[in-house]
Every structure is written in C-alpha cells, then in structure tokens.
Amino acid sequence: MARPTLLFCGLLSFLLSCGERKHIAIWEYPEISPSPEVQDYFGTTVIDSYHNLTDLEDSLVQNWFKTQDSLAETYFLNNDLTTQFKNRFHELEGRTSGEVRMIRTDEKGNYYYLRYDEDKDTDVLFYREKGGNLETELFDPSSYTNEKQNISYLEPSYDGTKIAIGFDPQEEFTSTIAIYDVINKKFLKDKITHINPDFGEIEWLPDNSGVIYLYFPFVEKSDPKYKKHSFSVVYYLGDNPEKRTPIFGWDKTLEIASDYYPKVKIGSSLDSYIVGYAAKSGIFYDSFIAKITDVKLGKPNWKPFFKASDKIYYNQGEIREQYFIYRRATPNGNELCQVEIGNPNFNNPLILATGSRENPITQFEVTKDHIYFVREKFGVEISIFKIDNQVNITQLSPPFVPGYASFFGESVAHNNIGIGMDGWTSNYIRYCINDEGDFTNESILDSPQFQEFKDLVSKQIMIYSHDGVAVPLSLVYKKDMKLESNNEVFIYVYGAYGESMSPFFSPTYLDWVKQGGILAFPHVRGGGEKGEEWHTQGMKELKYNSWKDLIACTEALIYKGYTRKGLISLYTNSAGGITAGMAVNERPELYTSFIAEVPRMHPFGLESATTASSTSYIEYGTIKDSLECLGLIQMDPYINLKQNKYYPATLLMPSNSDDRIPLWDSGKYIAKLQKYNLAETPIIMDIDYKSGHENSSNYDAAMDVNARIFSFAKSNMRY
C-alpha cells in the first residue's frame, strides 16, 4: 500500500522477544482532545466523544490520522513475523503467477480475460476463441498512457466486436470506461465518465450499438448531493461522449428516492424488454419494465413490475421469450418462479423449484432450453440441478462436492453454460456443462496443486446460541489435529446483507492451518446460510443475534477443547465490523486480537450524519424510527465501548478513499479504545491511502495486507 511517511518520536517503544511471539510494550498514542456531542434520541442519551474527528478537512484531524498510520507502520516494520508471513505468502501465491482473472464471454462463447504479467507488474487483456487454445493479446495497459493504469472492469458486447474496459479510479469515486474495438485492436474515441461499476454496470444494447449505464452527476465527497440523484442513460457509440440521453430515474414520475440508484438490466441480445430497478442497500427492490424499442428512442414507457414486498431477489431475474423467470425469498428456503411478462401475476406464479430452510436455493441461471440452479446446505455444501422445458428436475453430479459454485457464460441465446467451483480445501476450477449434464474442465485457468494442503480437512458443526437457535460453524484443520487447548484459532465472521460465508480456497488462509492453527467460520444470523429468515433475524433491532451467535461459537470452541482463551484471533471486514466489534465489546476476554478491514464501527454515526449518502438504514435501521434508532444505538461498537476494561490487541485497516464508510468511522473507535483500554495491548490503525472500499490493490500490496493481518494475529497470541 502507498502510505504517507510521517516521522514522530516517543509514540512507540517495544521489544520483540527471541520467540517473536510476545513483546513488552509501552504504548504512547497520538493525542487528540475529545470533543463530545451529546444528543437525545427518543429518551436515550447518545454521547459522541470524538465528534471532532468527523471533520476530515481539519489539519489537526488529518495529522492525527497520519500519525496513527505511522504508528502502525512502525509496528509492522519492527515485527519480524510480518516479513516471514509475507515471504511465505509470496511463495504460495507466486505459483499462480500469470494467473487469469476477470474472465468474460460473449454470446458466441469467445473469452476475454486478464493475465498478470510479472515483468510489467500489470494485468494484460487477452482474447481466445471458443474451443480454441490460441490466446491473442488485445491490450497492454502499460502502453496505454504515460501513467500506469490498472484494468478494473470488463464487459464485452454480445457479438464480441467491442469490449468496455474500465480503469482503476484510484482515489476517485467514479472511473473511466473506454470502448475497445476487438476486430481492429484499437480504442474508439468514446469515453464514458461519471460511472462506478460497483453501483451500476455497463449494459450493452441488444444490437451492440451503444450502452446503458448509471450516471452520477455529483461525485465530489464535499458536495451535499454526493452519490445522490443518479439516473440511467443511453449512449450510442460514435456520439459526443457528453451526449447522454436519460432513460430511467431522472425525473420524479416514478417516485424513486434521490439516494437510490436507478439502474437497469438487459440479459441478452434477444431481449425485447428492459427491467429497471430502484436499487438500494438490501436485496429486494421495486422494479419497472419497458420495451427496448422505446428506450432506444429515448421515450421509454416505464410500467411498474414487481415490488420489494414481493421478495424477489434483484439480481436473480431473467427474461426468456415472453416469460420472466426469477428467485424469490420464502420462509422455507426460496422458490424459482415464472410469470408471463404481458400479464405478470407475482402473487400466483408458476413455481418451478423449491428449497428448504437448511438447503435453500441460492442462485440460478437460464439458457435457451434449460434452467440451472443451486441449493446450498448451511452455506457450505452445494448441489446442482437442471430444469428442462417440461419442468423436469435433474440433479447433476459434479466431479467433487463443492462448497461454493457460481455459473458463467449463460444466455438465453444459446445452451452454453459453465460453473466455477471450490471449497475450503479444494482449489477453484471452472467446468463446462453440456446438455446431458456432464462436466468437462474448461481449461482456461491453470489451477496449481498445493500438496502441502492435502492433509487438511473441513467440517461443519452446529452450535446452540443464546436463544437455543442452531448456528452452523465451519472449521478447517489438519487431519491429525489433536483436540487440545494449545491450538491457535483464526475466526473470520461477517453476518450482514444476507450474504453467506461461502467456502473459498485461499493458500494465504490455509497457511495458518498448515502452521498448526485452526480456521473457524461462524455462519451467524444476518447472513443467508438458512435463507432470508436467517438474514432478517440479524437485521435492525435483531442485530444482536449476530454477535451473540459469534460469542456462542467462540465459547463452543473453548468448551469443546479446540482451543482456549488467549489463543483466539477475530477477523472481519466491512459490515462485519458491527458483529465482531460488539462481540469484543461484550466479551473482550474471549479474543486475543481483533482485526478488521474497511470496517463499519459506528453505524449510528453514519445514519445520523448530515452528509450521509447511503441506504444502509435499510439493513441497520434509521434514527427516525424509535425502535430502529434504539437498535442502532445498541449495535454501535464505538458508542458501546466501556471505560477501564481490558480489550484485546486491535488492528483496524480503514481506507481514506472509502466511498461507503468514512475514515472517521474507524478513527473515532480507535481514539476511544486507546483511551479506555487498560491492557498493554497494541491498538493501532493502519490506513490505506490509495484504495477504496472494494480493495483494488496490486498483487504485492495484497500480500502485504495479508501478512500484516496474520502476523498481528500470531504476534498477540498469549500462552
């Protein structure tokens, strides 16, 4: 990571022991005076002790953050374990040198992908025809401009003649999309700006003549309208790049809130309809539908389609001929449904397949003649099915039982489809599925073998939480591991937005197990492991279930003899900061270290901020509702820190350029924790001054971050 260097004296003095596992520390943290703001919300007093840190333009505040970051830099420079982890991680991940990523296909089945060039330290864009083995270099970003630009987005046109290429926006919210002519191997003059693909991607028009994208008119963080009042526009190739025709969400007739994101979806070159979504935080949106012919004329006649109350997953709907096929949430594990577009009856659809609470349907895709879907048992065991035109369901037999799977290459224009699969201990492999349901290796990716991990195993156990609800807990460990109290545990938890903690293969993480530790993944409420109900039980005023599930899983690891107090490190990221942070607040003695990347540590502060440009209140609650406001206060790790307690070693890793969670969110928590902590444990904040919320760091920077995370966890184990 590129971080500013700031010299300081007297901030840190510590001596690592010869075992590199313990240290004697005297912590003198950067000083900043509290500036309390006291407010009353529905009879509850809220004290924001470090409200002054909200002013990120204040030079004193900026210097305080820079000095905090320098403290973290000094800590890791003097920690030999960080170098040891980094060297091991580089060796492990180096086996995938030249690895392919960001694989895309057009409707002809041709491939477009990035391959890392180690000599140039950049990803190069390649092309490969369907069924061929010869890859052709299309574009080397190192030769594009004098300034190095990393590719961050790809989207080919349906016919494969053009591809939209996005570049890393660095510290900016929006990026630039250029259009590359695949046939003539050159860029067109078209440039698309004021776009953030994380919020609204490029949608090619069915005839490939142009694109639709979500346009952000206000992109400066200091602007009160930042990220608000966005709308979808159509742009035709060859036009003036500043000529954008608004087609969805730009006026008030559809009554879309200014902080929502009016984006659209086109599924294939055969689509005659376009679906518009009033996107926001959460997974259920109001939607509208229009004819593509009207959209191209710039005069769409949007009609209401389905409502958020219909519980239809926004990203799980496809148009095939006159039908709309979709996945909807039910208390018993979701359903696949179908309605006629001309006369949609979402209250009484044709039900194609159903799931269960323990084994919900989590995704599906549609091809010309088939529908493929996945059931996911407790978030970690995948089963794959196919539905034919007579609605007959067949279970497919993949080469191994995956813990995670994701479809690719599908379109209603053909029957080609593939699926990528991996697990806690199984490397990621992509397979093509033929009409008979047979799997063949796609052979685009080179999946290296890791023989050192062949003796690692995984299992899932059920833990009963504070209210008797069974919570799945996934464990990864050595096959011959003994159940004894000296096992070091690294817990990774999330629990928000209905996202499941799905298995993933990571040599970096598995190295922890190879060195004798245990990986633990609690599937707490707030996630989606047991369907939408599992999510809602960890939302808003019920959010406490998330961290109490985590506490129950941690206690179970101790009770069952996997480990003991003093040997448990807790890691999370983003929204998981609430779950992990509140678990640490309530039971700090359970954890020896707490590590969080771009975390949300002060949700109440974000919802009460006058500059808030987020719809996260849909997940956490709003200060405008008495019950939800009380829930927000109760779930806020910063507000609920207590004086004179012994807290674990803490490492927060926020981003200065985070467009979702401002830097003061972590800063307030760190300032208060440094003041309140009685233990001689490091409380540090390692700030990324380059990347945003979705980390786009290069290979070396990613290894550096992981080395810091795991070395911090290891260094603070207490025997």
Side-chain angles (χ1 to χ4, degrees):
M1 286 181 289
R3 295 179 173 83
T5 300
L6 184 66
L7 298 177
F8 60 95
C9 299
L11 291 175
L12 170 65
S13 173
F14 68 88
L15 175 65
L16 289 175
S17 72
C18 59
E20 298 173 335
R21 296 287 296 281
K22 303 176 182 178
H23 60 262
I24 301 170
I26 300 173
W27 297 95
E28 296 180 19
Y29 298 111
E31 287 288 341
I32 192 161
S33 299
S35 177
E37 180 181 86
V38 182
Q39 291 188 331
D40 182 87
Y41 291 87
F42 302 102
T44 299
T45 300
V46 178
I47 302 175
D48 180 2
S49 303
Y50 288 90
H51 182 73
N52 48 323
L53 289 178
T54 306
D55 186 3
L56 297 175
E57 299 301 317
D58 187 300
S59 59
L60 290 176
V61 172
Q62 291 178 352
N63 287 334
W64 180 83
F65 275 107
K66 290 178 180 178
T67 310
Q68 290 283 357
D69 183 57
S70 294
L71 174 62
E73 291 297 312
T74 301
Y75 174 89
F76 288 113
L77 283 173
N78 287 277
N79 189 337
D80 291 340
L81 275 176
T82 305
T83 301
Q84 293 176 24
F85 272 97
K86 188 187 300 186
N87 290 339
R88 286 210 304 273
F89 292 170
H90 272 275
E91 192 282 321
L92 287 168
E93 298 290 350
R95 299 180 200 176
T96 60
S97 178
E99 184 180 8
V100 168
R101 70 180 188 92
M102 209 180 291
I103 304 172
R104 303 289 185 264
T105 58
D106 59 32
E107 282 190 344
K108 297 179 181 179
N110 301 317
Y111 289 92
Y112 309 81
Y113 52 86
L114 302 180
R115 185 184 291 280
Y116 180 70
D117 188 312
E118 189 171 1
D119 294 332
K120 298 177 180 178
D121 188 29
T122 191
D123 288 311
V124 178
L125 176 61
F126 284 89
Y127 165 83
R128 182 184 295 189
E129 288 188 358
K130 177 185 177 182
N133 295 318
L134 178 65
E135 64 177 17
T136 303
E137 180 179 314
L138 287 181
F139 169 61
D140 178 355
S142 65
S143 62
Y144 184 47
T145 62
N146 293 329
E147 182 181 354
K148 180 181 177 182
Q149 296 205 41
N150 296 317
I151 297 175
S152 59
Y153 180 77
L154 296 175
E155 187 59 44
S157 59
Y158 296 111
D159 63 3
T161 60
K162 304 171 188 68
I163 183 168
I165 302 177
F167 296 96
D168 187 351
Q170 301 293 327
E171 298 182 14
E172 303 299 323
F173 170 66
T174 56
S175 58
T176 299
I177 303 287
I179 306 299
Y180 189 81
D181 184 333
V182 176
I183 305 299
N184 297 304
K185 294 186 179 181
K186 67 177 184 178
F187 279 99
L188 303 179
K189 295 181 180 180
D190 308 89
K191 286 285 195 312
I192 296 171
T193 60
H194 287 251
I195 179 175
N196 185 321
D198 289 338
F199 288 79
E201 298 189 61
I202 289 287
E203 298 288 333
W204 283 93
L205 292 172
D207 63 1
N208 310 291
S209 62
V211 298
I212 298 176
Y213 64 96
L214 184 64
Y215 175 76
F216 287 91
F218 307 104
V219 297
E220 298 296 329
K221 289 185 178 181
S222 58
D223 194 321
K225 296 181 181 179
Y226 173 58
K227 290 200 300 184
K228 296 182 179 180
H229 302 285
S230 60
F231 51 91
S232 285
V233 300
V234 62
Y235 168 73
Y236 289 96
L237 301 185
D239 278 356
N240 184 334
E242 296 301 316
K243 182 182 178 182
R244 313 175 184 93
T245 303
I247 53 103
F248 181 58
W250 78 100
D251 58 16
K252 298 181 180 180
T253 58
L254 300 180
E255 298 182 345
I256 298 176
S258 64
D259 55 352
Y260 285 20
Y261 306 109
K263 60 184 182 180
V264 304
K265 179 179 179 181
I266 302 174
S268 77
S269 63
L270 301 181
D271 285 8
S272 55
Y273 289 91
I274 182 172
V275 178
Y277 301 93
K280 58 188 186 300
S281 292
I283 50 182
F284 305 125
Y285 303 163
D286 288 339
S287 76
F288 305 85
I289 194 166
K291 292 182 178 179
I292 287 181
T293 52
D294 293 338
V295 170
K296 292 183 65 177
L297 293 173
K299 299 178 180 179
N301 179 23
W302 293 102
K303 296 181 179 180
F305 201 32
F306 56 81
K307 294 286 187 182
S309 57
D310 291 318
K311 300 289 185 181
I312 295 172
Y313 291 94
Y314 76 92
N315 61 342
Q316 293 279 294
E318 298 292 340
I319 292 173
R320 186 168 69 181
E321 297 177 340
Q322 72 270 32
Y323 298 108
F324 182 70
I325 303 166
Y326 60 93
R327 180 171 69 101
R328 70 175 179 182
T330 68
N332 293 310
N334 306 330
E335 294 174 337
L336 289 186
C337 305
Q338 178 177 289
V339 295
E340 291 189 10
I341 295 175
N343 185 29
N345 185 350
F346 291 104
N347 293 322
N348 188 30
L350 172 65
I351 297 175
L352 304 173
T354 60
S356 67
R357 291 190 181 188
E358 294 76 20
N359 203 6
I361 297 174
T362 55
Q363 58 174 298
F364 82 98
E365 294 296 347
V366 181
T367 65
K368 181 181 178 183
D369 297 311
H370 304 112
I371 301 171
Y372 295 83
F373 70 93
V374 159
R375 291 195 182 109
E376 194 171 320
K377 187 175 181 180
F378 294 140
V380 299
E381 185 178 322
I382 295 297
S383 49
I384 306 166
F385 301 85
K386 181 177 73 172
I387 307 175
D388 63 20
N389 285 332
Q390 286 73 47
V391 198
N392 297 311
I393 300 177
T394 304
Q395 182 169 356
L396 305 184
S397 300
F400 64 95
V401 179
Y404 168 81
S406 179
F407 295 108
F408 64 84
E410 71 288 334
S411 171
V412 299
H414 55 68
N415 280 326
N416 300 327
I417 191 169
I419 191 166
M421 306 186 298
D422 66 351
W424 298 125
T425 59
S426 302
N427 202 353
Y428 180 77
I429 304 177
R430 289 165 56 105
Y431 295 93
C432 296
I433 307 175
N434 64 20
D435 287 350
E436 288 71 41
D438 298 324
F439 292 73
T440 56
N441 194 314
E442 184 195 37
S443 300
I444 289 289
L445 284 177
D446 297 324
S447 297
Q449 299 298 312
F450 294 89
Q451 291 300 318
E452 59 266 60
F453 300 146
K454 63 183 178 62
D455 292 328
L456 307 188
V457 296
S458 63
K459 74 174 180 179
Q460 191 175 77
I461 59 178
M462 304 304 291
I463 306 301
Y464 291 97
S465 192
H466 68 105
D467 54 357
V469 171
V471 179
L473 172 62
S474 294
L475 302 173
V476 183
Y477 52 89
K478 283 185 177 180
K479 187 183 300 182
D480 58 354
M481 182 197 74
K482 295 180 181 179
L483 287 181
E484 59 181 15
S485 61
N486 285 329
N487 295 314
E488 296 177 349
V489 174
F490 185 89
I491 297 177
Y492 181 3
V493 71
Y494 185 67
Y497 291 105
E499 295 289 337
S500 297
M501 177 63 73
S502 298
F504 57 90
F505 182 84
S506 168
T508 297
Y509 278 74
L510 293 179
D511 176 75
W512 181 270
V513 183
K514 179 62 179 176
Q515 301 303 321
I518 300 173
L519 292 174
F521 304 92
H523 303 276
V524 302
R525 278 172 279 189
E529 285 83 351
K530 291 187 179 182
E532 177 55 18
E533 185 179 6
W534 197 245
H535 173 212
T536 58
Q537 288 179 10
M539 287 177 61
K540 297 184 177 180
E541 61 271 16
L542 296 177
K543 186 62 185 173
Y544 63 87
N545 283 322
S546 297
W547 69 79
K548 289 188 181 296
D549 288 352
L550 170 57
I551 290 172
C553 288
T554 307
E555 290 178 325
L557 288 169
I558 298 169
Y559 176 76
K560 292 179 178 293
Y562 287 98
T563 188
R564 63 169 173 80
K565 291 181 183 179
L567 299 179
I568 303 175
S569 179
L570 176 61
Y571 166 78
T572 191
N573 60 350
S574 194
I578 297 173
T579 298
M582 285 305 301
V584 169
N585 279 7
E586 289 196 3
R587 298 293 302 278
E589 79 281 1
L590 288 178
Y591 307 101
T592 54
S593 61
F594 169 41
I595 307 163
E597 284 190 271
V598 291
R600 191 179 295 274
M601 306 304 297
H602 187 24
F604 179 86
L606 185 60
E607 299 312 324
S608 60
T610 57
T611 57
S613 57
S614 167
T615 57
S616 58
Y617 59 84
I618 297 168
E619 177 77 11
Y620 308 120
T622 173
I623 62 170
K624 299 176 182 179
D625 180 275
S626 59
L627 187 60
E628 291 185 5
C629 182
L630 180 60
L632 264 173
I633 296 170
Q634 292 175 339
M635 75 173 70
D636 193 295
Y638 163 66
I639 291 175
N640 289 286
L641 282 169
K642 303 298 181 184
Q643 294 188 55
N644 301 323
K645 292 184 70 172
Y646 291 83
Y647 287 98
T650 299
L651 168 63
L652 296 194
M653 308 178 82
S655 168
N656 183 58
S657 304
D658 196 324
D659 60 85
R660 303 177 199 181
I661 305 174
L663 187 58
W664 51 255
D665 186 293
S666 287
K668 289 183 182 183
Y669 181 87
I670 285 292
K672 195 173 183 181
L673 183 58
Q674 288 175 344
K675 194 79 170 178
Y676 284 3
N677 184 30
L678 289 180
E680 292 182 352
T681 50
I683 308 295
I684 57 179
M685 182 167 52
D686 188 12
I687 304 171
D688 185 344
Y689 278 96
K690 183 178 180 180
S691 302
H693 189 77
E694 298 289 342
N695 195 302
S696 57
S697 297
N698 60 30
Y699 169 82
D700 289 329
M703 291 303 97
D704 182 50
V705 168
N706 287 332
R708 293 178 181 218
I709 290 170
F710 283 96
S711 66
F712 190 83
K714 191 84 168 178
S715 297
N716 289 286
M717 294 294 174
R718 298 193 303 269
Y719 279 87

